[in-house]
Each structure stands twice: as C-alpha cells, then as structure tokens.
Amino acid sequence: MTQASNDVRPNDVRPNDACPNSALQIAQDVRAGRRSAVSVITGVIADIEARDTRFNSVTRIFGPAAVARAEHIDQRIARGEDPGMLAGVPFGVKDLFDIAGEVTTAGSLVLRGNPPAQEDATVVARLQAQGAVAVASLNMDEFAYGFSTENAHTGTTRNPHDTACLAGGSSGGSAAAVAAGIMPFALGSDTNGSIRLPAALCGVWGLKPTFGRIPRKGAYPFAASLDVVGPMADTVEDLHAVFGIMDGRKPEALPDVASLRIARLGGWFARNIDAGFVAAIDDVMRHLNSTTVVELPEVTRARAASFLITAAEGGSLHLGRLRQRAMQYDPATRGRLMAGAMLPSATLVQAQRFRSWFRARIHELFSHHDVVVAPATVGPAPRIDQPTIMVEGRVVSARANLGLFTQPISLAGVPVLSAPLACPSGLPLGLQLIGAPGAEAALFAVAGELQRAGLARCVPLTTGN
C-alpha cells in the first residue's frame, strides 16, 4: 500500500483514468493539444449557464477574464512553452477570495460597494501561475457564518445529488460545483467545518489544512484564530495536486499506509449517527486493519468553546459596520454577529484557556496515533424544507448543529481531510481523516488507499444529468 512521492513535474502527472474530466486529465489533454484551453473554459461557462440554475452554486462568472487567460495558455503552448501543471483547468472560488478586477463580497450586500480587488488572493495567484483558470465565484453563507449555504442575498445552494436537500456550508457553492461536475476543483474556507461539511454532504474530497500552513492573504476573514483556506476536488489526485500548489513548498513523499497507526474516535463521535453510517465506517476501519478506538475528553465543552470564540471574533470584526448598516445583513447572520459582539470578555478568556488545554489533549493523541477517523456529519444532507437533524433524540436546527463533529476538532488547528464514502445508493456521507499538525501527507496516503479500495470516491454528475 505504499504511495509514491508526489514530487511530480507536468509531464510526469498520471491522472486518474476513471475520471476523464479530472483536473490532471484536463491539463494533460490541453498540454498535449487534444483540447484547447479556450474550448475547456468556454465549455464550462456554457455548462454553468445551462445547468447551474438547478444548483445555484455560482454567483458570478468571470467570463472575459477567464477566456483571455485561456487564450494566453493556448498561445504559450503553440510557442512550445510550458503553461504549468494545471494548464487550462477551470476552477471556482468561494466568494470571499480576491479576484483582480472583481469586488469581493463574502456573500453579502454590505461589501458590494467596495472597490474591486487589485490583485488575486495568494492561493488563487499560485494556481493561475500553474495554468489554472478562475472561472466563477461560488455561493456561501453570508460572511461564512453558517453550515447550510442559505443566503438571503444570493439564495440557497442545492445539493446536486438531490436538489431538495441542502449542500452544507459555508462553502456549499464550492462543494456543489464540484459534485455537479461543473468544475474539477474549487476553493473554500473552513473555520468550524465549512469545507468538511459540504464536502461530506455533496460527496466530494475536501481538505482543511493545518492552521497557518496555507496563506490567507486575499481571503476575507471570519474568525482569524481559526480560519483556514483549502481545496475541494473530485479525486484524491486532484486534491493533492491543488494542495501542493497552494502550499508552495517542496512536495512530501507519502508514507506507506501499512506503517501508519490509525485509530477511530469513539464517545461523542460515535453517537447520533445511524446504523448504516456506522457500518460504512466499520468497513473502512476493517480495510485499514485497525480496531483501535480512542476518545477525546470534554468534547461538549470543546464545541462550545469553538462556538464562543468564533462568535466573539466575528462579532468584533463586524461591530463597526453593524452599528451603521445592520439592516443590510442577512437577518440570520446579523443576529449571531450582534450576539457575538456582546459576549463578555471573561467568557472569551475562559474559552481561550480551555482551547489551550484541549489542543494539548489532541496533540497528545497524535503522540500515539498518526491518523484518527471520525464522521464528518451525523448523516446525509437534510431537506431544504425541513432543515433539521436529530441529536440526542431531539429535533434541532441543521444550520446551527451540522458542525457537531467538526467544531471540536477545529480548536486544535490540525489538518483534516474529508473523504466521501462510496454509497451505492442514497445521499453521500463523509469521513474526517484527522492528522497531527503538518501531517497532511499521512492523510493523503490513507485517502488514496480508500479511493483505490473503492471505499471512498466522488461521483460527480455529468452534463447529461
């Protein structure tokens, strides 16, 4: 089960043959002249216009700029130049990443009067330097405050696997665009689960990197002490390649999965999930040859601390604007930001103290284990007309509680890879593969093994759906 190093050059890339529209396959075709970058990008724009009315994943199309970038890529290829590892690959960005010449709105009316961004966000610039083409901005909960991508200004994003259901959030547009087969990868952000949850509910791969590893410059903040930015993709290979470019460092060799110490989180993370989900996780652990179950202490308090820190930091960031233009906010966002701004400082201090203690407990866990497995959600995506889930036998709001299993993990700043379980029928489910700080390579090794074994995979829709 040894995975080869990902120290690859463009001509060495071996795309997943089972996914002809994966990012790596598109790039290989464009570099080889089998497809032009312009045809790929104009095709994606046409696909958005034809199909995205069903999903509402896209908020703006960067048409002229995207086509111009694609033309430049084709011209470079015609001159015999190397246009980069992701030549001609379309991607979308959650509507909080700066795109040169566009206003960054973070899903809100409040910022629409701002001047356009002068330059791309750092990670967008890195990707476009490797030939990728930003095609569209993608829907989100206003200011990333939510788990459902229900936005009073831009509407609700629908799950491509069942448009009566939520896509999750706050990066729901990013997950839905990949799941719908509109684009092979997209960028999101994760504070308390905003990549992991929609990736799980829409059945795509997603990565919350180690806190501080990927530059956030040019990404509108929510809670600065927790925010990270990361990719979602339709294959592990695409996710790994995109992460490597975003990271900007020398690629790491992936470890042999057989050498990794893998455990499963029990206790809090074994409750409130249905029997079918439990059985699917059992299959994963059996394949990984692990029967080890571990528990984290005080998970309820960890979730509460994460909620309080997020509320306080978000409220503080928006306080000045709330005093002047509160009625321009989405009502659901406005109320939570105002409540966060009014939290007493003593409460925040207690939450931060607990955060330090809990982070130490998680780091201790990784002195004995390399990868820990946990569910990403309690179950499949809730219906839009009944946005609730069952927790401890009670019906509760999905928008507030979908992060039941992701919020506690956020406190530690560790990397988490969301893996879509291969469900033969029904809506997708997803796992969290959790690692020590900086140990993304171990997560990619396990994810790759689960994909090869057929236990985890993305099944994006096609234009025929």
Side-chain angles (χ1 to χ4, degrees):
M1 296 194 298
T2 303
Q3 170 75 25
S5 167
N6 77 324
D7 188 4
V8 293
R9 294 172 295 279
N11 291 333
D12 297 327
V13 172
R14 302 181 67 84
N16 184 343
D17 294 334
C19 193
N21 288 313
S22 72
L24 295 180
Q25 185 63 65
I26 291 169
Q28 191 175 85
D29 287 350
V30 169
R31 287 195 305 272
R34 290 187 292 269
R35 290 192 252 186
S36 69
V38 168
S39 70
V40 172
I41 298 308
T42 56
V44 169
I45 292 171
D47 193 26
I48 293 170
E49 293 172 340
R51 291 199 299 139
D52 193 56
T53 52
R54 294 173 55 202
F55 315 122
N56 194 35
S57 69
V58 172
T59 55
R60 278 174 292 169
I61 300 173
F62 310 136
V67 172
R69 188 173 291 276
E71 289 173 343
H72 179 64
I73 291 167
D74 288 335
Q75 290 164 4
R76 292 189 64 189
I77 292 171
R79 294 194 296 266
E81 299 174 7
D82 179 5
M85 184 178 179
L86 296 180
V89 177
F91 72 102
V93 299
K94 186 176 183 177
D95 196 12
L96 52 66
F97 288 90
D98 285 351
I99 298 292
E102 299 285 340
V103 176
T104 306
T105 71
S108 181
L109 292 179
V110 178
L111 303 183
R112 288 188 182 177
N114 284 4
Q118 296 299 301
E119 60 184 13
D120 293 335
T122 298
V123 291
V124 174
R126 287 179 177 179
L127 289 163
Q128 297 206 126
Q130 284 294 323
V133 179
V135 172
S137 64
L138 304 171
N139 204 11
M140 59 183 285
D141 290 284
E142 185 186 47
F143 291 116
Y145 206 163
F147 289 136
S148 57
T149 311
E150 296 174 282
N151 189 308
H153 313 305
T154 55
T156 297
T157 293
R158 296 175 176 270
N159 194 314
H161 293 275
D162 184 344
T163 54
C165 294
L166 293 170
S170 62
S171 307
S174 301
V178 175
I182 291 172
M183 52 194 69
F185 80 90
L187 303 187
S189 66
D190 191 309
T191 304
N192 280 311
S194 288
I195 287 174
R196 291 164 283 165
L197 284 167
L201 295 181
C202 290
V204 303
W205 299 91
L207 179 69
K208 170 195 175 295
T210 301
F211 179 81
R213 178 163 184 167
I214 304 296
R216 298 181 303 186
K217 183 182 178 184
Y220 197 87
F222 174 23
S225 74
L226 292 167
D227 293 345
V228 298
V229 298
M232 300 184 199
D234 56 7
T235 69
V236 171
E237 294 84 359
D238 283 359
L239 192 75
H240 196 190
V242 172
F243 165 69
I245 294 168
M246 293 173 70
D247 190 33
R249 310 181 195 195
K250 183 179 179 181
E252 302 172 71
L254 303 190
D256 184 341
V257 175
S259 72
L260 297 175
R261 301 165 298 172
I262 302 173
R264 175 179 185 168
L265 276 181
W268 174 272
F269 298 91
R271 303 205 303 267
N272 299 303
I273 59 178
D274 62 40
F277 199 175
V278 172
I281 301 174
D282 288 343
D283 288 344
V284 166
M285 300 309 295
R286 192 176 301 112
H287 181 78
L288 295 174
N289 197 29
S290 172
T291 58
T292 305
V293 179
V294 295
E295 291 193 31
L296 286 170
E298 301 283 3
V299 179
T300 305
R301 291 181 66 194
R303 185 182 176 221
S306 183
F307 175 83
L308 289 169
I309 292 167
T310 301
E313 292 188 12
S316 176
L317 177 66
H318 288 271
L319 183 57
R321 240 187 247 111
L322 284 166
R323 285 172 171 158
Q324 297 176 352
R325 291 184 283 164
M327 299 312 293
Q328 290 184 350
Y329 283 76
D330 181 326
T333 308
R334 179 177 64 236
R336 283 178 291 172
L337 288 173
M338 292 177 72
M342 292 187 289
L343 281 170
S345 59
T347 299
L348 182 58
V349 168
Q350 289 178 333
Q352 293 286 14
R353 285 175 176 166
F354 176 82
R355 176 187 189 172
S356 296
W357 178 86
F358 188 74
R359 182 167 50 201
R361 303 291 80 75
I362 290 186
H363 289 189
E364 286 173 5
L365 182 68
F366 288 110
S367 65
H368 304 286
H369 307 285
D370 300 303
V371 175
V372 178
V373 178
T377 66
V378 298
R383 288 182 60 86
I384 293 171
D385 61 3
Q386 191 178 3
T388 60
I389 58 175
M390 293 291 296
V391 177
E392 305 296 342
R394 295 184 299 112
V395 177
V396 298
S397 162
R399 187 168 189 170
N401 291 281
L402 275 172
L404 196 70
F405 297 141
T406 57
Q407 283 174 299
I409 303 302
S410 296
L411 280 183
V414 295
V416 187
L417 195 154
S418 183
L421 291 181
C423 301
S425 62
L427 288 169
L429 299 167
L431 290 181
Q432 294 184 91
L433 306 177
I434 309 163
E440 281 84 352
L443 304 185
F444 277 109
V446 173
E449 175 57 31
L450 295 180
Q451 181 177 261
R452 283 189 293 275
L455 292 168
R457 61 190 174 94
C458 167
V459 185
L461 305 182
T462 67
T463 54
N465 289 94

